[in-house]
Each structure stands twice: as C-alpha cells, then as structure tokens.
Amino acid sequence: MRADERAGDGDGRGGSGGAHERSAAGGGPGTPGARVGPGGSSGSAGAGEQQSGRPGEATGVDLRAPNEWQHWHERRIETISAPHGPLSLTGTHWLDDHPDGHLPGVAGLWSGDGDQLVLTATAADGLTVDDKPFAGSVRLTADHGPIDGSRVAQGARRLVVLRREGLWAVRDFDPDAPARRSFRGIDTTAYDPRWALPGRFHRYERTQSIRVENADGRQRGLGLDGEISFTLNGQAHALHVAVEDNGSLWAVFADATSGSSSYRFRFLRPAAPTADGSVIVDFNRAQLPPCAFADHFICPFPPPGNTLSVPVAAGERNLLAD
C-alpha cells in the first residue's frame, strides 16, 4: 500500500501530522466528567455524562500518570497554538482544481509531473526554497517532516507539498491565520485513572485498506493493521487501529458524546503494545483531530466498527475560540 493511503500529512497518522497531534493544558485528577478549561479550572460535565460506576477496572494506579497527563496536555496546547501548528492552516489547494497552476493567494506556478511537483517562480514572487530566495523552476516531492521544515516558504508562511492517492496539493500555513488569533484552548476532561483501560492488540495477517469518507467529503483509502479489544462498563468493545512506524497505535473513533458534548470524532494513540499484545487504552488522551482546528484538513472519519455505543466523557472534547 502506498504511504499516501495511510492518512499522514497532518490529517491523521504519520507524515507531518505527527507533531500536530501531541500537547495541552491543566489540572490533575478530578471527579469523573470534570472539565479542564484553558486556565486549568474544572467545570461540570455535559448532561448525562457523570459516570455512576467505573469506566474500567483499574488493576493498579500509577501515581505518575496524572503528572504525565498534565505534561501531555500542556504540550498539546503548545503544539496546536504554535506559529505553524494546525490552527495556522488557511488552505489545502489541489492542483487538479487549478489546471492553470495559479493557487489562491499563493505565489508561483504549480504543476504535477508524475512523481514530482514542479514550481516555477520569479524573484518578484518572494518565495524561498530551502531558506534561500528562489527564481526559476524546481522539482519537489511531498513534505513529510515538521511544517517548519518544508522546503518552500512565502514570507512567514510555509507552503507544504502534499500527495494523496496520486493527487498533488499545496497547503498554506500562515502564522497570522484568524483561527490562531481566536484560539482560547481545548475543552478537556480532567484526568481520571478509571479511563486508562487494559486492552489487547490483535494484528491482522496483512494490512487492510478500506474506503472511508474524509472531512472534505471525499472518500480515500485508510490502512488498518489490527484491532484493540477492551472492557468498558462491563461490556466488551474493540477499535480498528493502524500501526505507526514507531510501533504505537492510531485509532479514529466516535462515541455517544460525539457531535454533542464532544467533537464529531476523535483520535486515540495508544503506546506500542507489549510482546504479548497487552496495551493501555487511555481515553484520557483522546484528542481532537486536526480538522477540529482548521477546515482545510482532510481527516478520515471513523471506519465501520469504530463508533462506540457508550459515552466516552474523557480527553479532549472541543475547541475553545472567540
């Protein structure tokens, strides 16, 4: 399977999105359903979300976990609000939509040529390539590292080359984006050890590719490598997951809070399973997908089987903005 079918490039797993999906704000453990605001204060949960029983059976409490979660949360806020973080994305321009090579608000002429993208510009366009003023033509491949490391820039903006299922696009990350200026934090439920559930990872014999709808309304391939099973409120559940290059897992899921007290779907990134398949399914670290911060991401929706029938009143819930 091609790498561009595995939802990288800032919209999900792998690619330049890795740095986008780690960080965020406030408080230690609280009552089930308590919320952490941008300043670390707790608030009440959404209607019907207070847990009357255990979300999961805790086999032992790691006293380091609340502090580790706090650091994770703070890093999320820092990364999301960074100059070239996901809030700064102002456009994803597909070259097929602009056959004349002129992209809205972006200097130069852009065209696809097989496995490479060709950029042509004059000195007056004000572009830089590899941090040097650029004039002429250059052949580019897709950017897969941090946004700040993309080859092409226009002033403070980073122009990131994206390829997805054979189609070329250019993304415009602008530190002066309105969404970045209006950002006030992430509505997040305070840490609760009962949401850190023991689970088991089962790997498929081979990667399965399925077509799922993306946030831009198009269907694209999504690679799935296995599933994690766990028990929540006494009921067995499972989520289909992909395996990252470093062995960690990635799931796109929805639950009974999705679209009401939580964003319509979220991501979960469990650490690499142990040799026997044991894994911690920690919903305290459920995180908003990049498309929660900017409309121009093309995040995949949950695949069939990844919509939980129970409420997951944990982790990141919604964007806070003016």
Side-chain angles (χ1 to χ4, degrees), residues 156-209:
R157 294 155 55 191
R158 306 301 302 197
L159 304 178
V160 176
V161 176
L162 164 72
R163 194 181 191 198
R164 184 66 54 80
E165 297 191 332
L167 301 178
W168 291 100
V170 176
R171 282 183 161 158
D172 187 352
F173 289 86
D174 184 354
D176 197 37
R180 186 167 177 261
R181 295 198 303 269
S182 65
F183 178 65
R184 293 296 175 266
I186 303 174
D187 180 18
T188 307
T189 303
Y191 181 83
D192 185 336
R194 293 177 296 178
W195 283 109
L197 311 175
R200 181 76 59 179
F201 171 64
H202 170 72
R203 187 157 193 159
Y204 303 142
E205 290 186 4
R206 61 181 61 85
T207 298
Q208 301 177 7
S209 179

Side-chain angles (χ1 to χ4, degrees), residues 119-167:
L119 167 62
T120 302
T122 66
D125 287 322
L127 296 177
T128 60
V129 174
D130 299 330
D131 297 322
K132 298 178 182 179
F134 175 73
S137 293
V138 62
R139 304 182 75 85
L140 304 168
T141 56
D143 292 304
H144 292 296
I147 302 305
D148 289 343
S150 65
R151 296 188 62 190
V152 184
Q154 184 173 342
R157 294 155 55 191
R158 306 301 302 197
L159 304 178
V160 176
V161 176
L162 164 72
R163 194 181 191 198
R164 184 66 54 80
E165 297 191 332
L167 301 178

